[in-house]
Short mmCIF file of all heavy atoms in Angstrom, two decimals:
data_model
loop_
_atom_site.label_atom_id
_atom_site.label_comp_id
_atom_site.label_asym_id
_atom_site.label_seq_id
_atom_site.Cartn_x
_atom_site.Cartn_y
_atom_site.Cartn_z
N ALA A 1 94.57 97.96 110.31
CA ALA A 1 94.35 98.94 109.26
C ALA A 1 95.33 100.08 109.43
O ALA A 1 95.70 100.43 110.56
CB ALA A 1 92.92 99.46 109.31
N ASP A 2 95.76 100.66 108.32
CA ASP A 2 96.72 101.75 108.39
C ASP A 2 96.22 102.91 109.26
O ASP A 2 97.01 103.58 109.93
CB ASP A 2 97.05 102.27 106.99
CG ASP A 2 97.89 101.30 106.19
OD1 ASP A 2 98.54 100.43 106.79
OD2 ASP A 2 97.91 101.43 104.95
N SER A 3 94.92 103.12 109.25
CA SER A 3 94.35 104.25 109.97
C SER A 3 94.46 104.12 111.49
O SER A 3 94.32 105.12 112.20
CB SER A 3 92.88 104.43 109.58
OG SER A 3 92.13 103.27 109.86
N VAL A 4 94.71 102.92 111.98
CA VAL A 4 94.76 102.72 113.44
C VAL A 4 96.11 102.23 113.93
O VAL A 4 96.30 102.09 115.14
CB VAL A 4 93.66 101.75 113.92
CG1 VAL A 4 92.29 102.22 113.44
CG2 VAL A 4 93.94 100.33 113.46
N LYS A 5 97.05 101.99 113.03
CA LYS A 5 98.37 101.51 113.43
C LYS A 5 99.03 102.48 114.39
O LYS A 5 99.03 103.69 114.17
CB LYS A 5 99.26 101.29 112.21
CG LYS A 5 98.92 100.05 111.41
CD LYS A 5 99.86 99.88 110.23
CE LYS A 5 99.53 98.63 109.44
NZ LYS A 5 100.40 98.48 108.25
N GLY A 6 99.58 101.93 115.45
CA GLY A 6 100.24 102.75 116.45
C GLY A 6 99.31 103.27 117.52
O GLY A 6 99.77 103.79 118.54
N ARG A 7 98.01 103.14 117.30
CA ARG A 7 97.03 103.63 118.27
C ARG A 7 96.19 102.51 118.88
O ARG A 7 95.82 102.58 120.05
CB ARG A 7 96.10 104.65 117.62
CG ARG A 7 96.81 105.88 117.07
CD ARG A 7 95.82 106.95 116.61
NE ARG A 7 94.97 106.47 115.53
CZ ARG A 7 93.64 106.38 115.61
NH1 ARG A 7 93.02 106.74 116.73
NH2 ARG A 7 92.94 105.95 114.57
N PHE A 8 95.88 101.50 118.08
CA PHE A 8 95.03 100.39 118.53
C PHE A 8 95.88 99.14 118.71
O PHE A 8 96.84 98.91 117.97
CB PHE A 8 93.93 100.08 117.52
CG PHE A 8 92.86 101.12 117.40
CD1 PHE A 8 92.98 102.37 117.98
CD2 PHE A 8 91.70 100.83 116.68
CE1 PHE A 8 91.99 103.33 117.86
CE2 PHE A 8 90.70 101.77 116.55
CZ PHE A 8 90.84 103.02 117.14
N THR A 9 95.49 98.31 119.67
CA THR A 9 96.15 97.04 119.89
C THR A 9 95.11 95.96 120.11
O THR A 9 94.24 96.09 120.98
CB THR A 9 97.09 97.09 121.11
OG1 THR A 9 98.06 98.12 120.94
CG2 THR A 9 97.80 95.75 121.28
N ILE A 10 95.18 94.90 119.33
CA ILE A 10 94.30 93.76 119.51
C ILE A 10 95.07 92.69 120.29
O ILE A 10 96.26 92.46 120.04
CB ILE A 10 93.78 93.22 118.17
CG1 ILE A 10 92.70 92.15 118.39
CG2 ILE A 10 94.90 92.68 117.29
CD1 ILE A 10 91.96 91.75 117.11
N SER A 11 94.40 92.06 121.23
CA SER A 11 95.07 91.08 122.06
C SER A 11 94.07 90.06 122.59
O SER A 11 92.86 90.28 122.55
CB SER A 11 95.80 91.75 123.22
OG SER A 11 94.89 92.42 124.08
N ARG A 12 94.60 88.97 123.05
CA ARG A 12 93.79 87.94 123.67
C ARG A 12 94.02 87.96 125.17
O ARG A 12 95.16 87.94 125.63
CB ARG A 12 94.16 86.58 123.06
CG ARG A 12 93.21 85.46 123.39
CD ARG A 12 93.24 84.37 122.31
NE ARG A 12 94.58 84.10 121.84
CZ ARG A 12 94.92 84.09 120.56
NH1 ARG A 12 94.00 84.33 119.62
NH2 ARG A 12 96.16 83.83 120.20
N ASP A 13 92.94 88.02 125.92
CA ASP A 13 93.02 88.01 127.38
C ASP A 13 92.68 86.60 127.83
O ASP A 13 91.51 86.21 127.88
CB ASP A 13 92.05 89.02 127.98
CG ASP A 13 92.22 89.18 129.47
OD1 ASP A 13 92.57 88.21 130.16
OD2 ASP A 13 91.99 90.31 129.97
N ASN A 14 93.69 85.83 128.15
CA ASN A 14 93.48 84.43 128.50
C ASN A 14 92.70 84.27 129.81
O ASN A 14 91.93 83.33 129.96
CB ASN A 14 94.82 83.71 128.60
CG ASN A 14 95.51 83.57 127.26
OD1 ASN A 14 94.86 83.39 126.24
ND2 ASN A 14 96.83 83.64 127.27
N ALA A 15 92.91 85.18 130.75
CA ALA A 15 92.22 85.09 132.03
C ALA A 15 90.72 85.27 131.88
O ALA A 15 89.93 84.61 132.57
CB ALA A 15 92.79 86.12 133.01
N LYS A 16 90.32 86.14 130.98
CA LYS A 16 88.90 86.44 130.77
C LYS A 16 88.31 85.72 129.56
O LYS A 16 87.11 85.80 129.31
CB LYS A 16 88.70 87.94 130.61
CG LYS A 16 89.07 88.76 131.84
CD LYS A 16 89.05 90.24 131.56
CE LYS A 16 87.70 90.73 131.10
NZ LYS A 16 87.69 92.20 130.88
N SER A 17 89.15 85.07 128.80
CA SER A 17 88.74 84.37 127.57
C SER A 17 88.05 85.32 126.60
O SER A 17 86.98 85.01 126.05
CB SER A 17 87.84 83.18 127.91
OG SER A 17 88.52 82.23 128.69
N THR A 18 88.66 86.46 126.41
CA THR A 18 88.14 87.44 125.47
C THR A 18 89.22 87.90 124.51
O THR A 18 90.41 87.70 124.76
CB THR A 18 87.58 88.69 126.20
OG1 THR A 18 88.64 89.33 126.92
CG2 THR A 18 86.46 88.32 127.15
N VAL A 19 88.81 88.49 123.43
CA VAL A 19 89.70 89.21 122.54
C VAL A 19 89.38 90.69 122.68
O VAL A 19 88.22 91.09 122.52
CB VAL A 19 89.57 88.75 121.08
CG1 VAL A 19 90.38 89.67 120.16
CG2 VAL A 19 90.07 87.32 120.94
N ASP A 20 90.38 91.47 122.99
CA ASP A 20 90.18 92.87 123.31
C ASP A 20 90.79 93.78 122.25
O ASP A 20 91.72 93.40 121.54
CB ASP A 20 90.79 93.20 124.67
CG ASP A 20 90.20 92.39 125.80
OD1 ASP A 20 89.06 91.88 125.65
OD2 ASP A 20 90.88 92.26 126.83
N LEU A 21 90.26 94.97 122.18
CA LEU A 21 90.81 96.00 121.31
C LEU A 21 91.05 97.24 122.16
O LEU A 21 90.09 97.91 122.58
CB LEU A 21 89.87 96.31 120.15
CG LEU A 21 90.39 97.32 119.13
CD1 LEU A 21 91.54 96.71 118.33
CD2 LEU A 21 89.27 97.77 118.19
N GLN A 22 92.30 97.51 122.44
CA GLN A 22 92.67 98.70 123.18
C GLN A 22 92.82 99.84 122.19
O GLN A 22 93.62 99.76 121.26
CB GLN A 22 93.98 98.49 123.94
CG GLN A 22 94.47 99.71 124.71
CD GLN A 22 93.55 100.09 125.84
OE1 GLN A 22 93.11 99.23 126.60
NE2 GLN A 22 93.25 101.38 125.96
N MET A 23 92.06 100.90 122.39
CA MET A 23 92.05 102.03 121.49
C MET A 23 92.55 103.26 122.23
O MET A 23 91.91 103.72 123.17
CB MET A 23 90.65 102.27 120.93
CG MET A 23 90.03 101.04 120.26
SD MET A 23 88.42 101.39 119.51
CE MET A 23 87.47 101.78 120.97
N ASN A 24 93.69 103.76 121.79
CA ASN A 24 94.29 104.94 122.39
C ASN A 24 94.32 106.09 121.39
O ASN A 24 94.18 105.88 120.19
CB ASN A 24 95.71 104.65 122.87
CG ASN A 24 95.78 103.59 123.94
OD1 ASN A 24 94.88 103.48 124.77
ND2 ASN A 24 96.85 102.80 123.93
N SER A 25 94.53 107.28 121.90
CA SER A 25 94.61 108.47 121.05
C SER A 25 93.45 108.54 120.07
O SER A 25 93.63 108.76 118.86
CB SER A 25 95.95 108.49 120.30
OG SER A 25 97.04 108.48 121.20
N LEU A 26 92.27 108.35 120.58
CA LEU A 26 91.09 108.29 119.73
C LEU A 26 90.82 109.61 119.03
O LEU A 26 91.05 110.69 119.59
CB LEU A 26 89.87 107.87 120.54
CG LEU A 26 89.82 106.38 120.87
CD1 LEU A 26 88.86 106.11 122.01
CD2 LEU A 26 89.42 105.58 119.64
N LYS A 27 90.35 109.49 117.81
CA LYS A 27 90.03 110.63 116.96
C LYS A 27 88.55 110.60 116.61
O LYS A 27 87.93 109.55 116.61
CB LYS A 27 90.86 110.58 115.67
CG LYS A 27 92.36 110.49 115.88
CD LYS A 27 93.07 110.31 114.55
CE LYS A 27 94.57 110.20 114.74
NZ LYS A 27 95.27 110.00 113.44
#
């Protein structure tokens, strides 16, 4: 979403078999 671009990152953690959402610079 435009509101989170540059701040959030979605990724797959193969070691843990999870999909994660890293949220930085939270507002």
Side-chain angles (χ1 to χ4, degrees):
D2 288 340
S3 59
V4 306
K5 285 182 179 177
R7 300 188 298 119
F8 290 11
T9 302
I10 188 170
S11 63
R12 192 154 41 231
D13 188 327
N14 292 325
K16 297 171 60 178
S17 298
T18 62
V19 172
D20 300 338
L21 184 69
Q22 178 67 45
M23 306 184 295
N24 298 326
S25 302
L26 283 162
K27 305 174 181 179

